[in-house]
Structures are given as C-alpha cells and as structure tokens.
Amino acid sequence: VEGSEGRESGYWRLSKLAVPARDDPGKDFTGISLPLLQAIAKAIKFPVASMLPDEAFTVIRKSFDARKVLKEPQFTYTVDMDVKKLLDMEPRAWDFIARLEPKLGAVEYMPKEKLASDLVSMLNASNKGYDHELGIRDTYNDSICPQDKKPRVAVIGSGPSGLFASLVLGELGADVTLLERGQPVEQRGRDIGALAVRRILQSESNFCFGEGGAGTWSDGKLVTRIGRNTDGVQAVMQTFVHFGAPPNILVDGKPHLGTDKLVPLLRNFRHHLRELGVTIRFNARVDDLIVEDRQVKGIVVSDSELRPGSGSQKLSFDAVVLAVGHSARDTYNMLQQHNVDMSPKSFAVGLRIEHPQELINSIQYSELAAEVQKGRGRIPVADYKIVKSVGEKNAEELDIAEQSRSCYSFCMCPGGQVVLTSTDPSELCINGMSFSRRASKWANSALVVTVSSHDFKPFRSHGPLAGVEFQREFERRAAVMGGGNFVVPAQRVTDFISNRLSVTTLPPSSYRLGVRPSKLHELFPPYITEALQQSIIMIDREMPGFVAKEALLHGVETRTSSPLQISRYGETYESTSLQGLYPIGEGAGYAGGILSAAVDGMYCGFALAKQLSLFHGDI
Ligand code: FAD
C-alpha cells in the first residue's frame, strides 16, 4: 500500500478502545482478553479478532468509565501494537496495518518504541540493583565523588518531596542527611493507633508528621494535574514500583495505593536510602536555620531521641532542602523571622461529606453496583469528582473577589474513612484515608470552596502567614463546636442546606473519635457556607440521591494545600531571599499531592546536584 513503506516495524498506539464492563475480566486484569482483541480488531479493521496474537499487544492504560452519557459502563484501554511481532505471528495482518491512518487521540504511529527519557532511564538504572524483598542494593558506585569532598546537604522532611530529593542527591553522590521530626512508619503506626483508641495526639507523630509525610496514612491516590505521561511523573511511578508498589499502578487510569501498600513501600525506600549512604534521623525537628550574610550555613535540630535531654544541636551544611509540608506552622514562623520571601496563596476550605459506599455505587453505576463487592468485584468501588462554579448569578451584589467561586470535591476516598489531621489539640481538622481494597462501607470526600488573599484580610497583620491564621480560625471553631476530645462537629447534609441543627440521631460515621450534632452552617462566613450549599444542590441534580438523609457532613477541611508560597528561582529551586535554601513540595507552595510533591523533590535534587557539580546533564 502506498505510503506504508517503513511501517513494517515500530508501534501503533491505539487509544479509546472500549470494552463493555459486562464482558471485561475486571479492574485487576491488565492482560489481553478476547473482548479487548475484538476492540483492537475493530480499530484496525481486522476481520477475525481471535487470530490476533496476544503477544503483539501491551496494555498501556486501563480506566473504568461509567459516565451517564455512555450506553453502558465500559473499560477504556490504550494499547501498544508491536508491528514486527504481529507480522511475525500473523503475516495476513499486513494488509490491514498498511492501510492504518493516524487519527488524533485514537491511533498514533511510533517508528520505534518510545525511548524512556534520560530521567526515567537514569532513575531506572540507579534503582535496578535494589531488591525490595531482600533490601539489598548492589550498584552504588562511590567513585562519583570522594567521601571527604562530598557536599553536605540537609533535607528537612521525609514526605514525598524530601524522599525524592534525598534519593536523587544520594544517587548522585552528595552526603545527604534526612531529618524528620516524626517517627519511622512502624512507630508512627502505633502512635496513630493510640490516637484512634485512646485519644492521645502525639504532636510530632500523627497523620501529618512522620516518615512518608502527610500522604502515608492516606488513600494514596496517584493522580495529578501535572500530566500522567510526563517524564517526571513516569519516573516517580516507576520508582514506586521498584520499591514494591503493584505494577498495575503504571496502567490503571486512576491508580491508588492505600495505606497498607504505602507503609512497606516507605520501609523499602528507607532501606535503599541508607544503603546509598543517606543518614536518616527520625524524631529530629529542625527548629532554626543558621544564617550568615543571607546565606544558610546550617540548621539547629531539636533531637530528643538520639541525645535525650540534650536540647538542640547545630549542624553545618552546604545546602538545605526544605520539604516540610503545609502543616509545619512553627517552621513557617521561623522562616518569617529570617525574612524569607513568602506570600499568601489561594487554597480551599470546606467540609467532608460521607455517604454509605453502596449509595454512591448505586448513584454512579445503577444496576452494575451489585458487582462492586467491597473492592473484590470486577469493577472498582465508585468514586466521583465534581467541580462547580457558584456565585455568578449574584455577581452584581458581590465583591469582585467573591464572584464565581469554585466549589469542588477534593481527596475523594471510596471505601475509606474520615481521619483526624490536627497537629495541635486546640485545633480540629480532618481528611480521608483508605486501605488498598477500599473495602469500608463508607465513601467520603471533602467539598471545598476556593479562598484567596482577599479573604485573609482580617488576618493581614500576620503578613505572609495570613492564610495560616485563616485556617487556624476555623480549626479552632471546629474544635469548640465538637466540644473537645477530638469529637468532630457534624450535620446531616439535608439540615446543612436548610440551615438547621440535626435534631434526630445522626447517621453512623466512619470517624473513630465521635461526632456531635452541630450548626456547621454557622462555622464559616456566609460566602463559604452559601457557596457550599448552592453547589451541594447542583451536585444533587447531577448525581440524584447525593443529598440523602444518610449523608453526613464533618467539619472542617482546611489543609487542602499550602496557604502560602515560598519564593524561589525557577531554574535553581533556590530561595530568592536566602542562598543555600531550597524550598520544595507542598509546604513551599509548589505541589498539591503525593505525585506532584515527589516530582518537585526529584527535579530539585537534579537542579541542586548541578549546582554542586555532581551532575552535568540536562533534565
Ligand atoms: P509532607 O508529606 O507534608 O511531608 C513533610 C514532612 O516534613 C512531614 O513528614 C513532617 O513531619 C516533616 N517536617 C515538618 N516540619 C519539620 C521540621 N521542622 N523538621 C523536620 N521535619 C519536619 N495526596 C495525594 O496525592 N493522594 C492522596 O490520596 C492523598 N491523601 C491524603 C490523605 C491525608 C489524610 C492527608 C493528610 C494528605 C493526603 N494527600 C494526598 C496529600 C499529600 O499527602 C501531600 O500532598 C504530600 O504528602 C505533600 O508532600 P510533601 O513532601 O510536600 O510534604
């Protein structure tokens, strides 16, 4: 066929291949089933699907799609077709392959296998020697930089951003010390258990602080707005798999890990860092920076575990990576005292709504809901994602900044539970987590409204920390409304939209420390409450049954992302106000979730390694 020369090898990427859910082997199967071969055959116009050899195809992405616009729920696949393999096994396919035309977003020709970028290859190569079961690494090459000349780098915080910065810098030969105020995952698990059972909140070891950062006892959703197929995200996902994450996260359209998978992954990550020579210190809170002539020379650590009763310790470093997350309010105060350039940033606040998971399954899947079977079934437990814009109708009456606020669902946890993310007993805030099977009987999600520096005006005396004070105000109100002891104020959604206290017994909640009927409609200022009420009514039109008597709102969700941004230079990641300081991740205002924080940490690692002359490539 004219124009098909040279296409006897290479790959065709076939996207949007639909397999009806009733015919698909199910969410956990990422191989080539006959119904998928039929969809492929249809796409390439090959007449007999069962004659196509499975070996010629690889599933790149698989997503479940139950949108109401479809005739029936389906799995949607992206598949790579290896032309050479296909022709070796089924030469008659050539007539059809030769006629294939590229079609935007559906059929794409790649002359050879897409090579992994330098970044992915580099992380792959460096991770290859690591066996996550044995915890042994065999490729570390100490010759990159002699031990006594290695630049000394402190990484503060072991969340995704700090871990990935440490990994890259460690691999490239820096002498890295990772300092984490909280505990390793084993002890952190016990501390979180004590919180759930005995109401003991450890100020340094809780849902926000400790190994792995805020996302460890989470839903572990690995979704991001920075582009699933970008090199950075691919490199992070593959690194997770090296450390023990199930490989199907690379294929799944909405991958998630769950706490039970995150904990062993983090343990493997820690072993690997130690094998690399990274010094990891837990229970080591960084309280201050040592600054001379606007240059960071070191840090002051309060280290109660290694040196009981010893107070603080001063340590010198060539560079300090600040990866503290958005709940380290004491660290923000310390930065303000050093006049570090920071400015308030928009974020979102609201309430967390919880429904019986079965109700969400039936709203989203109709009759297919029976197939969910608590995460063990063929189709995934139902979730939802909603974005609404409210306030336009009353734009004339509203201040400019209040026109058209976004209200959206945030951190939706199907089959999960509501958890306490406070770091101080006088404040109360919540979030959601789940285990890998998402098997609990509840579905929870935050419903949040965007707020910006205009809204923080009452707190402007706090300068760049005005947004932090804004958060704190509502966390304190929530703690008072709940009546103390981490009891969460709650209200039926039906009562919230009618501005009335729930007088009948509240529906059950997954939150372990108790809920108390409260006037949540009085917790936030009217512009937030009304935006939430309007959007809940809109959501119910889209998802009839969402406003149900079993649906319970919990207060408050305030830490959706960082309330400030620490200024840094784009290329070097260095603070614009303090040399030698590298603010990264969510706490610095450059990420919003596990993946974007990890990617930010990884790129900072490369940028810093370049400045330290450990790395000369382009990333
Ligand atoms: P963090 O993860 O917050 O890590 C910062 C670390 O720094 C912490 O371990 C802290 O103890 C340490 N630290 C702070 N101050 C100091 C100091 N002074 N000295 C030493 N150490 C310090 N995101 C998703 O993408 N998917 C999800 O499903 C998801 N679910 C979540 C559920 C919950 C309950 C929570 C709380 C968050 C969830 N997130 C989720 C958000 C996600 O966890 C964060 O976006 C991500 O962890 C940010 O990474 P980070 O490295 O920037 O900061």
Side-chain angles (χ1 to χ4, degrees), residues 90-410:
E90 179 47 88
R92 284 166 294 185
W94 174 243
D95 286 350
F96 303 90
I97 300 297
R99 288 194 181 90
L100 255 187
E101 290 289 342
K103 201 162 128 199
L104 194 69
V107 183
E108 183 195 356
Y109 180 66
M110 296 181 285
K112 52 184 177 182
E113 188 176 9
K114 190 173 170 279
L115 289 174
S117 69
D118 288 353
L119 181 64
V120 176
S121 319
M122 191 173 143
L123 280 176
N124 274 347
S126 62
N127 282 326
K128 277 226 166 80
Y130 182 73
D131 179 327
H132 58 76
E133 280 181 0
L134 297 173
I136 295 168
R137 189 194 138 71
D138 60 14
T139 57
Y140 181 53
N141 177 358
D142 209 24
S143 65
I144 304 170
C145 200
Q147 185 68 35
D148 56 341
K149 297 233 175 73
K150 283 182 168 190
R152 302 196 65 217
V153 180
V155 177
I156 311 175
S158 73
S161 62
L163 285 173
F164 273 82
S166 303
L167 175 68
V168 172
L169 287 159
E171 294 279 0
L172 292 172
D175 178 2
V176 180
T177 303
L178 174 58
L179 299 121
E180 167 55 56
R181 70 194 297 163
Q183 297 283 2
V185 280
E186 297 81 359
Q187 179 58 39
R188 191 178 173 195
R190 289 190 281 276
D191 294 336
I192 284 175
L195 173 61
V197 178
R198 296 198 298 278
R199 298 176 191 273
I200 302 168
L201 175 66
Q202 297 289 349
S203 61
E204 305 295 338
S205 180
N206 46 52
F207 277 93
C208 288
F209 296 159
E211 186 175 21
T216 308
W217 268 262
S218 83
D219 188 40
K221 274 179 285 297
L222 300 178
V223 288
T224 176
R225 276 181 281 176
I226 60 174
R228 174 74 186 274
N229 295 324
T230 55
D231 288 345
V233 172
Q234 289 288 313
V236 165
M237 297 284 269
Q238 292 187 16
T239 303
F240 282 153
V241 173
H242 280 299
F243 290 135
N248 69 354
I249 62 165
L250 302 174
V251 171
D252 198 339
K254 286 187 194 166
H256 93 108
L257 286 169
T259 299
D260 48 325
K261 296 269 192 288
L262 278 156
V263 168
L265 186 156
L266 285 162
R267 212 180 285 135
N268 291 333
F269 211 130
R270 184 208 307 158
H271 289 155
H272 178 69
L273 289 178
R274 286 205 164 128
E275 290 284 332
L276 274 181
V278 173
T279 305
I280 306 179
R281 291 173 62 170
F282 292 107
N283 209 356
R285 193 185 59 224
V286 174
D287 286 336
D288 205 357
L289 299 174
I290 303 168
V291 180
E292 288 170 20
D293 298 331
R294 305 305 295 159
Q295 168 130 27
V296 176
K297 297 283 185 185
I299 55 176
V300 180
V301 188
S302 126
D303 186 339
S304 52
E305 190 181 63
L306 291 180
R307 303 170 358 122
S310 62
S312 57
Q313 197 184 8
K314 286 186 179 173
L315 300 170
S316 340
F317 288 97
D318 299 305
V320 173
V321 177
L322 189 78
V324 293
H326 61 35
S327 289
R329 292 172 174 172
D330 49 353
T331 314
Y332 284 154
N333 283 334
M334 177 271 284
L335 296 175
Q336 196 178 21
Q337 278 160 24
H338 283 288
N339 290 320
V340 171
D341 280 347
M342 306 187 276
S343 49
K345 182 180 121 331
S346 302
F347 60 102
V349 296
L351 303 167
R352 191 158 275 264
I353 190 162
E354 187 168 66
H355 294 82
Q357 180 64 52
E358 278 185 5
L359 177 64
I360 298 298
N361 293 345
S362 71
I363 294 175
Q364 298 294 72
Y365 293 163
S366 309
E367 62 277 9
L368 209 68
E371 307 242 1
V372 173
Q373 294 163 12
K374 284 189 157 192
R376 283 203 197 278
R378 288 185 319 115
I379 61 171
V381 181
D383 64 2
Y384 56 86
K385 187 174 178 191
I386 307 151
V387 183
K388 296 284 163 210
S389 194
V390 289
E392 284 124 327
K393 280 190 191 147
N394 303 324
E396 280 168 24
E397 298 156 33
L398 293 168
D399 191 291
I400 295 290
E402 291 178 22
Q403 290 178 18
S404 178
R405 273 179 201 274
S406 258
C407 177
Y408 56 95
S409 57
F410 172 78

Side-chain angles (χ1 to χ4, degrees), residues 565-587:
Q565 187 169 59
I566 307 174
S567 306
R568 71 181 187 194
Y569 292 110
E571 205 158 305
T572 60
Y573 290 69
E574 193 169 23
S575 151
T576 51
S577 47
L578 279 191
Q579 272 179 31
L581 182 70
Y582 296 80
I584 59 167
E586 184 154 30

